[in-house]
Amino acid sequence: MARKNYSEEFRRQAVDLYECTPGATVRGIAEDLGIVRGTLRQWLEVYGTGKKTAADGTLTSSPLQSRTTTTAASQSPVDETAEQKVTRLEARVRDLEVETAKLTVEREILQRAAKYFGRGDALVSRFQFVADNSATFEVKRLCELVEIERSSYYAWKAGAAARAQRAAADARLLGRIRAVHDADNTVGAPRVTAELNDGKPAGERVNHKRVARVMRGAGIAGYVKKRRVRTTIPEQADQKVPDLLKRDFTAAAPGRRYVGDITYLPIADGSNLYLATVIDCYSRRLVGWAIADHMRTSLVADALTEAAATRGSLTGATFHSDHGSVYTSKDYALLCKRLGVTQSMGAVGTSADNALAESFNATLKREVLQDAACWPDDLTCRRQLFKWLTRYNTKRRHSWCRYQSPIAYETRYTATLPTAA
């Protein structure tokens, strides 16, 4: 479909194209420009010089007759009478007035549109701009200026009711998300989704992509540590123990493979507490832990003893650690032997060989300390760790456990075991 509104510059260029193209015809130029012949003839009458280039390149008189010429022969502006000149100039003034009015309206529309184009979704903002100003300006003109199709605008407008319903549903979902996130501000979209869908039938479950979108729109996110801190410095081993895991931190059932480590807990006065852990590779459950203000062998021994009490027995299990001096000590080796535990150790100075325990320590500090550099005092540290460590087993949804808590994951394994006849 041909345009109906052309700038004065475009009109003059069209006339110049006809007049300077050797042997050009009104029909040929009009087809090239995508306009009707009558429109080009009108422009030639207003802007034309009365001359054109012949096929041989010579300048000749235009065969077109001016509407303002009263004689049979065409006249150039130089030969026109005073009355003809006045008529031509009056027509020119009318064209300029129309063009000026059009440009004034377009400028006003674009000034109003400017504030809509910084809202993120440019296309939706343009649709909204047309809707907000359709009572003042013609929809067709608005769509042309912001470069959208009228059919697209009307389709967007027809979907307003559905969008309102989705927005209301998202607002309700946001309220549920905030409740989950307020209870634990470290959780991201996957754990929030698992919490929302827990126990819900298929028809009431929510998609994780939708949860992520709503959280992103509301500026809600799980905690992400802003800096990386080195927390473990490996020590030379006092005895040789083989690596039985080879970085395979999985197990076929609970109680077969464990990993552990020591991490320091910085206190504001410059001192440290130390946490020793024993973690089940099957469920990532923390089966034993101990906190002390020292790193003597008794710290890791207390954690392993607690693990034995939690499980009832560690006989036949493998415990994997780094080559810290407490893990390579004779006292610890004797304790493992007494509990029926086989020791395993990674290479010296290689944290990846004990990545599961390292990851646990990093998660703990990230979610408990968040942006703080240390705990204010020993008592606060112990209290916060006790709360997080117990909740880790019973409430915190773990990605490894298909977003169940470690204890719930183990319970599901137990429920699938065959019963005795």
Side-chain angles (χ1 to χ4, degrees):
M1 181 181 293
R3 289 172 51 188
K4 295 185 178 180
N5 298 312
Y6 299 91
S7 66
E8 181 182 354
E9 181 183 5
F10 182 89
R11 298 175 188 179
R12 289 185 179 276
Q13 289 176 339
V15 171
D16 180 69
L17 179 64
Y18 168 77
E19 292 183 342
C20 70
T21 302
T25 63
V26 173
R27 179 177 182 177
I29 296 299
E31 289 179 352
D32 290 343
L33 297 175
I35 60 177
V36 297
R37 282 176 286 175
T39 299
L40 181 56
R41 289 179 182 274
Q42 292 176 2
W43 295 350
L44 286 167
E45 291 174 354
V46 176
Y47 303 107
T49 64
K51 302 291 182 179
K52 74 177 299 295
T53 304
D56 59 3
T58 60
L59 191 63
T60 63
S61 297
S62 172
L64 300 176
Q65 291 185 342
S66 172
R67 288 183 303 177
T68 59
T69 303
T70 58
T71 62
S74 64
Q75 296 178 324
S76 66
V78 177
D79 299 330
E80 66 184 354
T81 64
E83 183 180 351
Q84 291 171 342
K85 184 176 181 179
V86 169
T87 302
R88 180 173 60 80
L89 292 177
E90 286 178 346
R92 175 80 176 112
V93 169
R94 287 194 296 271
D95 287 343
L96 290 175
E97 288 176 344
V98 171
E99 189 72 20
T100 301
K102 175 186 173 184
L103 292 175
T104 300
V105 172
E106 290 182 354
R107 182 178 63 181
E108 181 180 354
I109 292 174
L110 292 175
Q111 285 176 341
R112 294 190 181 191
K115 65 180 180 180
Y116 284 78
F117 295 153
R119 300 181 178 179
D121 190 332
L123 185 59
V124 172
S125 297
R126 293 181 187 191
F127 289 148
Q128 190 62 56
F129 165 72
V130 175
D132 292 346
N133 292 273
S134 59
T136 306
F137 304 101
E138 184 183 13
V139 170
K140 178 182 177 182
R141 175 68 63 81
L142 292 169
C143 290
E144 287 177 349
L145 287 178
V146 297
E147 299 180 348
I148 59 174
E149 296 292 335
R150 275 185 292 168
S151 58
S152 300
Y153 163 70
Y154 286 121
W156 174 84
K157 189 176 180 180
R163 288 196 303 276
Q165 292 179 354
R166 287 195 297 270
D170 285 349
R172 293 191 294 269
L173 176 61
L174 178 59
R176 296 168 60 197
I177 290 173
R178 288 192 185 280
V180 174
H181 196 263
D182 289 345
D184 183 357
N185 69 345
T186 66
V187 296
R191 288 191 175 87
V192 170
T193 304
E195 185 69 29
L196 295 175
N197 290 336
D198 188 29
K200 296 291 192 299
E204 298 180 13
R205 296 172 69 84
V206 61
N207 184 275
H208 70 280
K209 293 182 179 179
R210 183 184 175 201
V211 172
R213 174 178 58 80
V214 173
M215 291 180 65
R216 185 167 56 251
I220 301 174
Y223 177 76
V224 178
K225 194 170 183 64
K226 296 178 176 61
R227 61 187 183 277
R228 184 177 180 180
V229 179
R230 188 182 184 192
T231 58
T232 301
I233 301 176
E235 300 182 40
Q236 295 296 322
D238 293 333
Q239 63 179 10
K240 297 296 182 181
V241 176
D243 184 351
L244 302 178
L245 268 59
K246 302 296 183 182
R247 301 187 183 181
D248 177 12
F249 302 108
T250 62
R256 297 185 181 181
R257 284 181 166 186
Y258 298 94
V259 298
D261 193 17
I262 297 178
T263 187
Y264 74 90
L265 311 170
I267 308 301
D269 62 5
S271 63
N272 294 307
L273 292 179
Y274 299 92
L275 170 69
T277 55
V278 179
I279 304 167
D280 194 305
C281 289
Y282 173 80
S283 62
R284 276 38 176 179
R285 179 180 178 180
L286 182 66
V287 295
W289 54 278
I291 298 177
D293 59 0
H294 60 79
M295 282 203 305
R296 295 190 290 272
T297 304
S298 59
L299 173 64
V300 293
D302 288 345
L304 192 63
T305 302
E306 182 183 345
T310 300
R311 288 303 193 195
S313 174
L314 295 180
T315 302
T318 299
F319 177 77
H320 183 84
S321 67
D322 59 22
H323 275 83
S325 60
V326 291
Y327 291 117
T328 59
S329 66
K330 292 181 180 179
D331 289 342
Y332 194 74
L334 290 174
L335 174 63
C336 289
K337 185 176 181 179
R338 186 168 68 250
L339 295 176
V341 173
T342 301
Q343 283 188 273
S344 169
M345 292 185 185
V348 175
T350 305
S351 60
D353 286 349
N354 199 20
L356 175 54
E358 296 278 356
S359 175
F360 176 89
N361 292 337
T363 299
L364 181 152
K365 290 184 179 179
R366 181 179 68 248
E367 296 190 359
V368 179
L369 275 179
Q370 298 193 10
D371 287 332
C374 58
W375 281 272
D377 52 64
D378 288 17
L379 182 58
T380 301
C381 179
R382 290 177 182 272
R383 286 174 174 172
Q384 290 184 356
L385 258 66
F386 177 79
K387 177 181 179 181
W388 190 90
L389 293 172
T390 53
R391 189 179 182 279
Y392 169 87
N393 280 333
T394 59
K395 294 291 185 181
R396 186 183 182 278
R397 297 181 183 273
H398 202 298
S399 58
W400 173 264
C401 302
R402 300 175 184 174
Y403 291 103
Q404 303 174 71
S405 68
I407 288 181
Y409 190 68
E410 285 191 0
T411 302
R412 182 176 180 180
Y413 170 83
T414 303
T416 60
L417 293 177
T419 57

